[in-house]
Coordinates of all heavy atoms in Angstrom, one line a residue:
M1 N -7.3 -18.3 -8.3 CA -7.2 -17.0 -7.6 C -8.6 -16.4 -7.4 O -9.4 -16.7 -8.1 CB -6.3 -16.0 -8.3 CG -4.8 -16.3 -8.4 SD -3.9 -14.8 -8.5 CE -2.9 -14.9 -7.1
K2 N -8.7 -15.6 -6.3 CA -9.9 -14.9 -6.1 C -9.7 -13.4 -6.5 O -8.6 -12.9 -6.5 CB -10.2 -14.9 -4.6 CG -10.4 -16.3 -4.0 CD -10.8 -16.1 -2.5 CE -9.9 -17.0 -1.7 NZ -10.2 -16.8 -0.3
K3 N -10.8 -12.7 -6.7 CA -10.8 -11.3 -7.0 C -11.1 -10.5 -5.7 O -12.0 -10.9 -4.9 CB -11.9 -10.9 -8.0 CG -11.6 -11.4 -9.4 CD -10.5 -10.5 -10.0 CE -10.3 -11.0 -11.5 NZ -9.2 -10.3 -12.1
L4 N -10.3 -9.5 -5.4 CA -10.6 -8.6 -4.2 C -10.8 -7.2 -4.8 O -10.0 -6.7 -5.6 CB -9.3 -8.6 -3.3 CG -9.3 -7.6 -2.2 CD1 -10.4 -7.9 -1.2 CD2 -8.0 -7.6 -1.5
S5 N -11.9 -6.6 -4.4 CA -12.2 -5.3 -4.8 C -12.1 -4.4 -3.6 O -12.6 -4.7 -2.6 CB -13.6 -5.1 -5.4 OG -13.7 -5.9 -6.6
V6 N -11.3 -3.3 -3.7 CA -11.1 -2.3 -2.6 C -11.4 -1.0 -3.2 O -11.0 -0.5 -4.2 CB -9.6 -2.3 -2.2 CG1 -9.4 -1.3 -1.1 CG2 -9.2 -3.7 -1.7
T7 N -12.3 -0.3 -2.4 CA -12.7 1.1 -2.8 C -12.2 2.0 -1.7 O -12.5 1.8 -0.5 CB -14.2 1.2 -3.0 OG1 -14.7 0.3 -4.0 CG2 -14.6 2.6 -3.3
M8 N -11.5 3.1 -2.1 CA -11.0 4.0 -1.1 C -11.5 5.4 -1.5 O -11.5 5.8 -2.6 CB -9.5 4.0 -1.0 CG -8.9 2.7 -0.6 SD -7.1 2.7 -0.3 CE -6.5 2.9 -1.9
K9 N -12.0 6.1 -0.5 CA -12.4 7.5 -0.6 C -11.9 8.3 0.6 O -12.1 7.9 1.7 CB -13.9 7.6 -0.7 CG -14.4 9.0 -0.9 CD -15.9 9.1 -1.1 CE -16.3 10.5 -1.2 NZ -17.8 10.7 -1.4
L10 N -11.2 9.3 0.3 CA -10.7 10.2 1.4 C -11.3 11.6 1.2 O -11.4 12.1 0.1 CB -9.1 10.3 1.3 CG -8.3 9.1 1.4 CD1 -6.9 9.4 1.1 CD2 -8.5 8.5 2.8
E11 N -11.6 12.2 2.3 CA -11.9 13.7 2.3 C -10.9 14.3 3.3 O -10.8 13.8 4.4 CB -13.3 13.9 2.7 CG -14.3 13.5 1.6 CD -15.7 13.9 1.9 OE1 -16.0 14.7 2.9 OE2 -16.6 13.4 1.2
M12 N -10.2 15.3 2.8 CA -9.2 15.9 3.6 C -9.3 17.4 3.7 O -9.7 18.0 2.6 CB -7.8 15.6 3.1 CG -7.5 14.1 3.0 SD -6.0 13.7 2.0 CE -4.7 14.6 2.9
S13 N -9.0 18.0 4.8 CA -8.9 19.5 4.8 C -7.4 19.8 4.6 O -6.6 19.3 5.3 CB -9.3 20.0 6.2 OG -10.7 19.8 6.4
I14 N -7.1 20.5 3.5 CA -5.7 20.8 3.1 C -5.5 22.3 3.2 O -6.4 23.1 3.1 CB -5.4 20.2 1.8 CG1 -6.3 20.8 0.7 CG2 -5.6 18.7 1.8 CD1 -5.9 20.5 -0.7
P15 N -4.2 22.7 3.3 CA -3.8 24.1 3.2 C -4.3 24.7 1.9 O -4.3 24.1 0.8 CB -2.3 24.1 3.3 CG -2.0 22.8 4.0 CD -3.0 21.8 3.5
D16 N -4.6 26.0 1.9 CA -5.0 26.8 0.7 C -3.9 26.8 -0.3 O -4.2 27.0 -1.5 CB -5.4 28.2 1.1 CG -6.7 28.2 1.9 OD1 -7.5 27.3 1.7 OD2 -6.9 29.2 2.7
D17 N -2.6 26.6 0.0 CA -1.6 26.8 -1.0 C -1.3 25.4 -1.7 O -0.4 25.3 -2.5 CB -0.3 27.4 -0.5 CG 0.2 26.7 0.8 OD1 -0.4 25.7 1.3 OD2 1.3 27.2 1.3
W18 N -2.0 24.3 -1.4 CA -1.9 23.1 -2.1 C -2.8 23.2 -3.4 O -3.9 23.8 -3.3 CB -2.4 21.9 -1.3 CG -1.5 21.5 -0.2 CD1 -0.5 22.3 0.4 CD2 -1.4 20.3 0.5 NE1 0.1 21.6 1.4 CE2 -0.4 20.3 1.5 CE3 -2.2 19.1 0.3 CZ2 -0.2 19.2 2.3 CZ3 -1.9 18.0 1.1 CH2 -0.9 18.1 2.1
E19 N -2.3 22.7 -4.5 CA -3.1 22.8 -5.7 C -3.0 21.6 -6.6 O -2.0 20.8 -6.4 CB -2.7 24.1 -6.5 CG -1.3 24.1 -6.9 CD -0.9 25.4 -7.6 OE1 -1.2 25.6 -8.8 OE2 -0.2 26.2 -6.9
L20 N -4.0 21.4 -7.4 CA -4.0 20.2 -8.3 C -3.2 20.6 -9.6 O -3.5 21.7 -10.1 CB -5.4 19.8 -8.7 CG -6.2 19.1 -7.6 CD1 -7.6 18.8 -8.1 CD2 -5.5 17.9 -7.1
V21 N -2.4 19.8 -10.1 CA -1.7 19.9 -11.4 C -1.8 18.6 -12.1 O -1.9 17.5 -11.5 CB -0.2 20.4 -11.2 CG1 -0.2 21.8 -10.5 CG2 0.6 19.4 -10.4
K22 N -1.6 18.7 -13.4 CA -1.6 17.5 -14.3 C -0.2 17.1 -14.7 O 0.6 18.0 -15.0 CB -2.5 17.7 -15.5 CG -4.0 17.6 -15.2 CD -4.8 17.4 -16.5 CE -6.2 17.4 -16.2 NZ -6.7 16.4 -15.4
T23 N 0.1 15.9 -14.7 CA 1.4 15.4 -15.2 C 1.3 15.4 -16.8 O 0.3 15.7 -17.3 CB 1.8 14.0 -14.7 OG1 0.8 13.1 -15.3 CG2 1.7 13.9 -13.2
S24 N 2.5 15.2 -17.4 CA 2.5 15.2 -18.9 C 1.6 14.1 -19.5 O 1.2 14.1 -20.6 CB 3.9 15.0 -19.4 OG 4.4 13.7 -18.9
T25 N 1.2 13.1 -18.6 CA 0.4 12.0 -19.1 C -1.1 12.3 -18.7 O -2.0 11.4 -18.9 CB 0.8 10.6 -18.5 OG1 0.7 10.7 -17.1 CG2 2.2 10.2 -19.0
G26 N -1.4 13.4 -18.2 CA -2.8 13.8 -17.8 C -3.3 13.3 -16.5 O -4.4 13.5 -16.2
V27 N -2.3 12.8 -15.6 CA -2.7 12.4 -14.3 C -2.7 13.5 -13.3 O -1.7 14.3 -13.3 CB -1.8 11.2 -13.9 CG1 -2.1 10.8 -12.4 CG2 -1.9 10.0 -14.8
D28 N -3.7 13.6 -12.5 CA -3.7 14.7 -11.5 C -2.8 14.3 -10.3 O -2.8 13.1 -9.9 CB -5.2 14.9 -10.9 CG -6.1 15.6 -11.9 OD1 -5.5 16.4 -12.7 OD2 -7.3 15.4 -11.8
V29 N -2.1 15.3 -9.8 CA -1.3 15.1 -8.6 C -1.4 16.4 -7.8 O -1.9 17.4 -8.3 CB 0.2 14.8 -8.8 CG1 0.3 13.4 -9.5 CG2 0.9 15.9 -9.6
I30 N -1.0 16.4 -6.6 CA -1.1 17.6 -5.7 C 0.3 18.3 -5.6 O 1.2 17.6 -5.3 CB -1.6 17.2 -4.3 CG1 -3.0 16.5 -4.4 CG2 -1.7 18.4 -3.4 CD1 -3.4 15.8 -3.2
K31 N 0.3 19.6 -6.0 CA 1.5 20.4 -5.9 C 1.5 21.0 -4.5 O 0.6 21.7 -4.1 CB 1.6 21.4 -6.9 CG 2.9 22.2 -6.9 CD 3.0 23.2 -8.0 CE 4.4 23.8 -8.0 NZ 4.4 25.2 -8.0
L32 N 2.6 20.7 -3.8 CA 2.8 21.3 -2.4 C 3.6 22.6 -2.6 O 4.4 22.8 -3.6 CB 3.5 20.3 -1.5 CG 2.8 18.9 -1.4 CD1 3.7 18.0 -0.5 CD2 1.4 19.1 -0.9
P33 N 3.6 23.5 -1.6 CA 4.3 24.8 -1.7 C 5.8 24.7 -1.7 O 6.5 25.6 -2.2 CB 3.8 25.6 -0.5 CG 3.3 24.6 0.4 CD 2.8 23.4 -0.4
N34 N 6.4 23.6 -1.3 CA 7.9 23.4 -1.3 C 8.4 22.7 -2.5 O 9.4 22.1 -2.5 CB 8.3 22.6 0.0 CG 7.6 21.3 0.1 OD1 6.8 20.9 -0.8 ND2 8.0 20.5 1.1
N35 N 7.7 22.9 -3.6 CA 8.1 22.3 -4.9 C 8.2 20.8 -4.8 O 9.0 20.2 -5.5 CB 9.4 22.9 -5.5 CG 9.1 24.3 -6.0 OD1 8.0 24.6 -6.6 ND2 10.0 25.2 -5.7
Q36 N 7.3 20.2 -4.0 CA 7.2 18.7 -4.0 C 5.7 18.4 -4.5 O 4.9 19.2 -4.5 CB 7.4 18.1 -2.6 CG 8.8 18.2 -2.1 CD 8.9 17.4 -0.9 OE1 8.1 17.6 0.1 NE2 9.9 16.5 -0.8
F37 N 5.6 17.1 -5.0 CA 4.3 16.7 -5.4 C 3.9 15.5 -4.7 O 4.7 14.6 -4.3 CB 4.4 16.4 -6.9 CG 4.8 17.6 -7.7 CD1 6.1 18.0 -8.0 CD2 3.8 18.4 -8.3 CE1 6.4 19.1 -8.7 CE2 4.1 19.5 -9.0 CZ 5.4 19.9 -9.2
L38 N 2.6 15.4 -4.4 CA 2.0 14.3 -3.6 C 1.0 13.5 -4.5 O 0.1 14.1 -5.1 CB 1.3 14.9 -2.4 CG 0.5 14.0 -1.5 CD1 1.3 12.9 -0.9 CD2 -0.3 14.8 -0.5
D39 N 1.1 12.2 -4.5 CA 0.1 11.4 -5.1 C -0.3 10.4 -4.1 O 0.5 9.7 -3.4 CB 0.8 10.7 -6.3 CG -0.2 9.8 -7.1 OD1 -1.5 10.0 -6.9 OD2 0.2 9.0 -7.9
L40 N -1.6 10.4 -3.8 CA -2.2 9.4 -2.9 C -2.6 8.2 -3.6 O -3.4 8.3 -4.6 CB -3.4 10.1 -2.1 CG -3.0 11.3 -1.4 CD1 -4.3 12.0 -0.9 CD2 -2.1 11.0 -0.2
T41 N -2.1 7.1 -3.2 CA -2.3 5.9 -4.0 C -2.3 4.7 -3.0 O -2.0 4.8 -1.9 CB -1.3 5.7 -5.1 OG1 -1.7 4.6 -6.0 CG2 0.1 5.6 -4.6
F42 N -2.5 3.5 -3.6 CA -2.5 2.3 -2.8 C -1.0 1.9 -2.4 O -0.1 2.0 -3.2 CB -3.0 1.1 -3.7 CG -2.7 -0.2 -3.2 CD1 -3.4 -0.7 -2.1 CD2 -1.7 -1.0 -3.8 CE1 -3.1 -2.0 -1.6 CE2 -1.4 -2.3 -3.3 CZ -2.2 -2.8 -2.2
E43 N -0.9 1.6 -1.1 CA 0.4 1.1 -0.6 C 0.1 0.1 0.5 O -0.6 0.3 1.4 CB 1.2 2.2 0.1 CG 2.5 1.7 0.6 CD 3.3 2.8 1.4 OE1 2.9 3.9 1.4 OE2 4.4 2.4 2.0
P44 N 0.7 -1.1 0.3 CA 0.4 -2.2 1.3 C 1.1 -1.9 2.6 O 2.2 -1.4 2.7 CB 1.1 -3.4 0.7 CG 1.5 -3.0 -0.7 CD 1.5 -1.6 -0.8
L45 N 0.3 -2.1 3.7 CA 0.9 -1.9 5.1 C 0.8 -3.3 5.7 O -0.1 -4.0 5.6 CB 0.1 -0.9 5.8 CG 0.1 0.5 5.3 CD1 -0.8 1.4 6.1 CD2 1.5 1.1 5.3
L46 N 1.8 -3.5 6.6 CA 1.9 -4.8 7.3 C 2.0 -4.7 8.8 O 2.5 -3.6 9.2 CB 3.1 -5.6 6.8 CG 3.2 -5.9 5.3 CD1 4.5 -6.4 4.9 CD2 2.1 -6.8 4.8
A47 N 1.6 -5.7 9.5 CA 1.7 -5.7 11.0 C 1.9 -7.1 11.5 O 1.3 -8.0 10.8 CB 0.6 -5.0 11.7
A48 N 2.6 -7.3 12.5 CA 2.7 -8.7 13.1 C 1.5 -9.0 13.9 O 1.1 -10.1 14.2 CB 4.0 -8.7 14.0
D49 N 0.8 -7.9 14.4 CA -0.4 -8.0 15.2 C -1.4 -7.0 14.7 O -1.0 -5.8 14.6 CB -0.1 -7.8 16.6 CG -1.3 -7.9 17.6 OD1 -2.4 -7.6 17.2 OD2 -1.1 -8.3 18.8
P50 N -2.6 -7.3 14.3 CA -3.5 -6.3 13.8 C -3.9 -5.2 14.7 O -4.5 -4.2 14.3 CB -4.8 -7.2 13.3 CG -4.7 -8.4 14.1 CD -3.2 -8.7 14.4
E51 N -3.6 -5.4 16.0 CA -3.9 -4.3 17.0 C -2.7 -3.4 17.2 O -2.8 -2.5 18.0 CB -4.3 -5.0 18.3 CG -5.5 -5.9 18.2 CD -6.7 -5.3 17.6 OE1 -7.0 -4.1 17.9 OE2 -7.4 -6.0 16.8
E52 N -1.6 -3.7 16.6 CA -0.4 -2.9 16.8 C -0.1 -2.0 15.6 O -0.9 -1.8 14.8 CB 0.8 -3.9 17.0 CG 0.7 -4.8 18.2 CD 0.7 -4.0 19.5 OE1 1.4 -3.0 19.7 OE2 0.0 -4.4 20.5
T53 N 1.1 -1.4 15.5 CA 1.5 -0.4 14.5 C 1.6 -1.1 13.2 O 2.2 -2.2 13.0 CB 2.8 0.3 14.9 OG1 2.6 0.9 16.2 CG2 3.2 1.3 13.9
W54 N 1.0 -0.5 12.2 CA 1.2 -0.9 10.7 C 2.2 -0.1 10.1 O 2.3 1.1 10.3 CB -0.2 -0.7 10.0 CG -1.2 -1.6 10.5 CD1 -2.0 -1.5 11.7 CD2 -1.7 -2.8 9.9 NE1 -2.8 -2.6 11.8 CE2 -2.7 -3.4 10.8 CE3 -1.4 -3.5 8.8 CZ2 -3.4 -4.6 10.5 CZ3 -2.0 -4.7 8.5 CH2 -3.0 -5.2 9.3
T55 N 3.1 -0.7 9.3 CA 4.2 -0.1 8.5 C 4.2 -0.5 7.1 O 3.8 -1.7 6.8 CB 5.5 -0.2 9.2 OG1 5.8 -1.6 9.2 CG2 5.5 0.3 10.6
S56 N 4.9 0.2 6.3 CA 5.1 -0.2 4.9 C 6.3 -1.2 5.0 O 7.0 -1.3 5.9 CB 5.5 0.9 4.0 OG 6.6 1.6 4.5
T57 N 6.4 -2.0 3.9 CA 7.4 -3.1 3.9 C 8.7 -2.6 3.3 O 8.8 -1.8 2.4 CB 6.9 -4.3 3.1 OG1 7.9 -5.3 3.2 CG2 6.6 -4.0 1.7
D58 N 9.8 -3.2 3.8 CA 11.2 -2.9 3.2 C 11.5 -4.0 2.3 O 12.5 -4.0 1.6 CB 12.2 -2.8 4.3 CG 12.1 -1.6 5.2 OD1 11.6 -0.6 4.6 OD2 12.5 -1.6 6.4
D59 N 10.6 -5.0 2.2 CA 10.8 -6.2 1.3 C 10.3 -5.8 -0.1 O 9.1 -5.9 -0.4 CB 10.1 -7.4 1.9 CG 10.3 -8.7 1.0 OD1 10.8 -8.5 -0.1 OD2 10.0 -9.7 1.6
E60 N 11.2 -5.4 -0.9 CA 10.9 -4.9 -2.3 C 10.2 -6.0 -3.1 O 9.4 -5.8 -4.0 CB 12.1 -4.3 -3.0 CG 12.5 -3.0 -2.4 CD 12.8 -1.9 -3.3 OE1 12.5 -2.0 -4.5 OE2 13.2 -0.9 -2.9
D61 N 10.7 -7.3 -2.9 CA 10.1 -8.4 -3.7 C 8.7 -8.6 -3.3 O 7.8 -8.7 -4.2 CB 10.9 -9.7 -3.4 CG 12.3 -9.7 -4.0 OD1 12.5 -8.9 -5.0 OD2 13.2 -10.4 -3.5
F62 N 8.4 -8.5 -2.0 CA 7.0 -8.7 -1.6 C 6.1 -7.5 -2.1 O 5.0 -7.7 -2.6 CB 6.9 -8.8 -0.1 CG 5.4 -8.8 0.4 CD1 4.7 -10.0 0.3 CD2 4.9 -7.7 1.0 CE1 3.4 -10.0 0.7 CE2 3.5 -7.7 1.4 CZ 2.8 -8.9 1.3
L63 N 6.6 -6.3 -2.0 CA 5.9 -5.1 -2.5 C 5.6 -5.2 -3.9 O 4.5 -5.0 -4.4 CB 6.8 -3.9 -2.2 CG 6.2 -2.5 -2.7 CD1 4.8 -2.3 -2.0 CD2 7.1 -1.4 -2.4
N64 N 6.6 -5.6 -4.7 CA 6.4 -5.7 -6.2 C 5.4 -6.9 -6.5 O 4.6 -6.7 -7.4 CB 7.8 -6.0 -6.9 CG 8.6 -4.7 -6.9 OD1 8.1 -3.6 -7.0 ND2 9.9 -4.9 -6.9
E65 N 5.5 -7.9 -5.7 CA 4.5 -9.0 -5.9 C 3.1 -8.5 -5.7 O 2.2 -8.8 -6.5 CB 4.9 -10.2 -5.0 CG 4.0 -11.4 -5.1 CD 4.4 -12.5 -4.2 OE1 5.5 -12.6 -3.8 OE2 3.5 -13.3 -3.8
V66 N 2.9 -7.8 -4.6 CA 1.5 -7.3 -4.3 C 1.1 -6.3 -5.4 O 0.0 -6.3 -5.9 CB 1.5 -6.6 -2.9 CG1 0.1 -5.9 -2.7 CG2 1.7 -7.7 -1.9
L67 N 2.0 -5.3 -5.8 CA 1.7 -4.3 -6.8 C 1.4 -5.0 -8.1 O 0.5 -4.5 -8.9 CB 2.8 -3.3 -6.9 CG 2.9 -2.4 -5.7 CD1 4.1 -1.5 -5.9 CD2 1.7 -1.7 -5.3
D68 N 2.1 -6.1 -8.4 CA 1.8 -6.8 -9.7 C 0.4 -7.4 -9.7 O -0.2 -7.7 -10.8 CB 2.8 -7.9 -10.0 CG 4.2 -7.3 -10.4 OD1 4.2 -6.1 -10.8 OD2 5.2 -8.0 -10.4
M69 N -0.2 -7.6 -8.6 CA -1.6 -8.2 -8.5 C -2.6 -7.1 -8.8 O -3.8 -7.5 -9.1 CB -1.8 -8.8 -7.1 CG -1.0 -10.0 -6.7 SD -1.4 -10.5 -5.0 CE 0.0 -11.5 -4.7
V70 N -2.3 -5.9 -8.7 CA -3.2 -4.8 -8.9 C -3.5 -4.7 -10.4 O -2.6 -4.4 -11.2 CB -2.7 -3.5 -8.4 CG1 -3.7 -2.3 -8.7 CG2 -2.5 -3.5 -6.9
E71 N -4.8 -5.0 -10.8 CA -5.1 -4.9 -12.2 C -5.5 -3.5 -12.7 O -5.4 -3.2 -13.9 CB -6.2 -5.9 -12.5 CG -5.7 -7.4 -12.3 CD -6.8 -8.4 -12.4 OE1 -8.0 -8.0 -12.8 OE2 -6.6 -9.6 -12.1
S72 N -6.1 -2.8 -11.8 CA -6.5 -1.4 -12.1 C -6.5 -0.6 -10.8 O -6.7 -1.1 -9.7 CB -7.8 -1.3 -12.8 OG -8.9 -1.8 -11.9
E73 N -6.4 0.7 -11.0 CA -6.4 1.7 -9.9 C -7.0 3.0 -10.5 O -6.6 3.4 -11.6 CB -5.0 1.9 -9.3 CG -4.9 2.9 -8.2 CD -3.5 3.1 -7.6 OE1 -2.6 2.5 -8.2 OE2 -3.4 3.8 -6.7
D74 N -7.9 3.6 -9.7 CA -8.5 4.8 -10.1 C -8.4 5.8 -9.0 O -9.1 5.6 -7.9 CB -10.0 4.6 -10.6 CG -10.7 5.8 -11.1 OD1 -10.0 6.7 -11.5 OD2 -11.9 5.8 -11.0
V75 N -7.7 6.9 -9.2 CA -7.6 7.9 -8.2 C -8.2 9.2 -8.8 O -7.8 9.6 -9.9 CB -6.2 8.2 -7.7 CG1 -6.1 9.3 -6.7 CG2 -5.6 6.9 -7.1
T76 N -9.2 9.8 -8.1 CA -9.8 11.1 -8.6 C -9.6 12.1 -7.6 O -9.9 11.9 -6.4 CB -11.3 10.8 -8.9 OG1 -11.4 9.8 -9.8 CG2 -11.9 12.1 -9.5
Y77 N -9.2 13.3 -7.9 CA -9.0 14.4 -7.0 C -10.1 15.5 -7.4 O -10.3 15.7 -8.6 CB -7.6 15.1 -7.1 CG -6.5 14.2 -6.7 CD1 -5.7 13.5 -7.7 CD2 -6.2 14.0 -5.4 CE1 -4.7 12.7 -7.3 CE2 -5.1 13.2 -5.0 CZ -4.4 12.5 -5.9 OH -3.4 11.7 -5.5
A78 N -10.6 16.1 -6.4 CA -11.5 17.3 -6.6 C -11.3 18.3 -5.6 O -11.2 17.9 -4.4 CB -13.0 16.8 -6.6
L79 N -11.0 19.5 -5.9 CA -10.8 20.6 -5.0 C -12.0 21.5 -4.8 O -12.7 21.8 -5.8 CB -9.7 21.5 -5.4 CG -8.3 21.2 -5.0 CD1 -7.3 22.2 -5.5 CD2 -8.2 21.2 -3.4
G80 N -12.4 21.8 -3.6 CA -13.5 22.7 -3.4 C -13.3 23.5 -2.1 O -12.3 23.3 -1.4
K81 N -14.1 24.4 -1.8 CA -14.1 25.2 -0.6 C -14.9 24.5 0.5 O -15.9 23.9 0.2 CB -14.6 26.6 -0.8 CG -13.8 27.4 -1.8 CD -12.7 28.0 -1.1 CE -11.9 28.9 -2.1 NZ -10.7 29.4 -1.5
E82 N -14.4 24.7 1.8 CA -15.2 24.1 2.9 C -16.4 24.9 3.2 O -16.5 26.1 3.0 CB -14.3 24.0 4.1 CG -13.2 22.9 4.0 CD -12.5 22.7 5.3 OE1 -13.2 22.8 6.4 OE2 -11.4 22.4 5.3

C-alpha cells in the first residue's frame, strides 16, 4: 500500500450566533442556534466524471472501507472576529 497525506484548511464567515463547544471527550464542535451541532470532517465524495457533480456515497460498505483506511485525522477550530 501507499501513504496518502491530505491537508485541509477552511476559512469561513459564519453567523455570530454559531459558537464552539466541547464534547464530553474534549473535541470541539460548532453549536448552531437551532440546537444542532456541526462537525466538519473528512467525507469521501464520488463522481462518474470529474467535471460533473460530486456526491457522497450510499454504499456503506465502500464508505466504511475508505474510513477504515484513515489512520489519523486532526480538526482544529478557532473563532475570531473579521
Side-chain angles (χ1 to χ4, degrees):
M1 291 205 122
K2 300 182 231 179
K3 290 282 184 191
L4 172 65
S5 295
V6 178
T7 302
M8 295 189 293
K9 180 179 178 179
L10 300 173
E11 288 187 13
M12 301 169 60
S13 294
I14 60 170
D16 289 334
D17 54 359
W18 288 22
E19 58 186 283
L20 290 179
V21 297
K22 287 198 182 296
T23 66
S24 62
T25 59
V27 175
D28 286 331
V29 294
I30 302 164
K31 183 177 186 228
L32 306 178
N34 58 356
N35 287 322
Q36 287 187 313
F37 297 88
L38 173 65
D39 185 15
L40 299 171
T41 187
F42 165 75
E43 179 185 356
L45 298 176
L46 302 170
D49 179 331
E51 305 302 325
E52 298 297 324
T53 303
W54 291 77
T55 61
S56 58
T57 181
D58 290 331
D59 182 345
E60 293 224 7
D61 290 335
F62 176 75
L63 177 61
N64 288 331
E65 182 180 330
V66 171
L67 292 176
D68 285 346
M69 292 179 199
V70 177
E71 295 175 4
S72 67
E73 181 179 3
D74 183 26
V75 177
T76 303
Y77 296 100
L79 265 181
K81 294 278 183 189
E82 285 192 38

